Amino acid sequence: MKFKISIIVTLLIMVITTVMPFASSQAVNAKEQRFSVKDQFEEPVDLGEAVKSPLSQVAAYGQNSKGENLQYIAVTGTPAVFYAVNAETGERKFSQQIPHSDVIWAMTVGSDNNVYFASTMNGILYRYLPDENRMETIGKNPSDDFVWDLKSSTDGKIYGATYDESKVFEYDIESNSFKDLGPMKEGQKYARGLGVTDKYVYTGIGTISGVVRYDRSTGEKKDIPIPTSGKSGTISEIAIYDGKLFVHGASQLFVIDEATEEHIRTISFQSKISSPSPYNPDLIYYKLQDQLFSYNIATDTIDKVENIPSLPGSTAVKAHNWLTLSTGETVLAGMTAFTDSFFFNPETKEYSVHFPDVDAQGATINALAAINGKVYSGGYQRGLSIYDEKQQAYTYTNFSFHQTEGINQLDGKVYFGTYTGAKMYRYDPKLPIEYDEYGKANPGLYLDIESDQDRPFAMTSGDGKLFIGTFPGNGKHGGALTILEETAGENGEITVESQTYRNIVENQSIFGLAYKDGKVFGGTSIYGGFGSNPVETEAKMFVFDVEKGEKIAEFKPDIPGLDSPTLTIGDFSFGPDGLLWGLIEGTIFAMNPETYEVVKSKEIYDTAYNSSKLRPYYLKWGPDGNLYTTLGRKLTVVNPETLESEQLVEDSVQLMDLSEDGSIYYAIGSHLYKMSVKVKQIELQLENKLITGLPVKPTVTAKLVNGESVVLSDNQYTISVSNPDVLEINSDSQLIGIKPGTSTVTIKAELNNKTYSSNEVRVTVANGNRGFH
């Protein structure tokens, strides 16, 4: 009998153990299907284009067959837009969006008098025909997608410089055919600037600075020596006048004798030089800061142009050209980065500024942060905006603000990490806005990290310190950790002290940071500055002791199932569970910060590393206890207990942040979106006994479904009283008793495109002389 019972028990155990995994799996799957937070949010609302400006990186001048002077402009945006305007009046003649583009650097007028341009995204060459007033697509060049420069020859050719194999292409206008001329410098990324003569094509090279001369007949290539040859850098412009090469790298212009290759002079300047003056063929003109200078090619001398107004100091000239106006006067025409255009007559010294009729375009949002009721958006190339959550409106826009890579706060002060040169701008929201690009202001420049650093993407703060993680400059390896602290002088002036530690992980850049109890936890990207190839094969985590000023650990997190090489690690955030949470592309993990042991992890999306290797992923804790993230470049919420997840919007999302009430702000292209937490009810709080003549302010609170509460501002609600003979509402949304009596008070609030009514409060008003007894 005992034997039979034992057999039955054994069989039962076998059945149970066979069934249990299946049942458990079914339960998990059912739970995963049930996990959803979408119901606590309203549908996304498009808050419009956060940063709009008429920023342009290129322009050109020409004429139509009627002799009308024309100015050609490509305004940066999503997408970029091509314009043709009358160069004298600014009147718009033509405009059209350039498909699949965001910025245009390359434009030239061909020998056929048509305008040629190409973008940085798809390698397509476009043409505008001024006599037909239309734009057409020619086709994709055979060299590369990113086109940096275009130059034309007098014999009907268009040459294009591309990234990222330093290739140059040729387009033959007559035969409508392309030809790939191949890399101008093997192993280099940038063919950046071009100069074309009847015999040669000169190409500016990067990320190791150089100039290569290409023989148009034989295809022979020759290195032309310049002062920065062999050094890190990129040559962005080349012009050839009167037997001289004018080679532009960074803020230096090298004058080289074309025949002897002798270096004649180095000039400090800004962006573009003019062609020789028709008044004196020995003179070319250029801008430096807010002043105009001339350079005499024959005598090798420089003169400042006196007695003219200051030029726009912070923006570079994007095009120069000599124009003979309809009045018969010949002037130097030019355009700066925000399309401010000018005429200068060297003979009369007359200088005038005019503005072409172009629209401000929405820039792709490049950085985003929600801090203390304000949402900060930084634009690609340039631009900054502030959206006020209370006012539900953009309250500040600065279209000239430098490209922001990362935004964070230190004790309520907002820091913007900008490109190029890893410069940190500081803004105090409690003070009036007074922007200064070069000095301490609000916002103003408070720190230049230097140390060959370029892009401050990763930031976190704690214990009165801001921790900044950077990528190095073009062609370089070795990011840095910078620790910033503020000190206030006796007069209240804020100064910033910092310490930068480069190569925390050798040859790697910093991709994500978190801080706790005197330690910085960081993750890296194996990638360096633009134009460089990785030296290392696997990203690492590190731990940095702030007091000691040294790294105390470096390791690769051991994540089950993640077998392929790890290329990036980050963002990070400490959770209420005490664990350090982190991201690796599409994988989320939680780590014991003492032992560095990964205690839980899950690959939610494919970890394929097929998106940006510079921009971190973002990880934010919501008031509901869930993790909100751009994991896998998808706006996703993760349950930290079960690691169940839900994708909240279909589009790819690079940037997101949470407001204090848990609402989600995110960016797609140039547009800022908000997913508001749903309102459960509106609560009115008000004293029910008032004295005549004494104003009282009601408190109106939105109770949200996630448990958070938000006190509403005046512009978010309206007050109604049942007895206006007893109570009135003044212009400050205060209630004032007029005479003794009773009245009910209710609130109507317009939130998330819905109308909500509050509870009713019955108020009794007593005479001010007698009051309540």
Side-chain angles (χ1 to χ4, degrees), residues 88 324-331:
E88 298 184 47
T324 298
L325 306 181
S326 54
T327 60
E329 178 186 16
T330 298
V331 297

Side-chain angles (χ1 to χ4, degrees), residues 498-513:
S498 68
Q499 181 69 47
T500 297
Y501 303 88
R502 190 173 181 187
N503 276 312
I504 295 286
V505 176
E506 194 71 22
N507 292 321
Q508 301 204 30
S509 305
I510 295 183
F511 200 71
L513 293 172

Side-chain angles (χ1 to χ4, degrees), residues 502-508 520-524 536 538-545 550-557 569 591 596:
R502 190 173 181 187
N503 276 312
I504 295 286
V505 176
E506 194 71 22
N507 292 321
Q508 301 204 30
V520 178
F521 293 77
T524 69
E536 309 298 333
E538 291 227 277
K540 300 288 182 65
M541 285 186 65
F542 66 87
V543 184
F544 185 88
D545 188 300
E550 63 183 36
K551 179 177 65 179
I552 58 175
E554 179 183 313
F555 56 93
K556 177 189 174 185
I569 306 176
M591 172 182 290
Y596 312 144

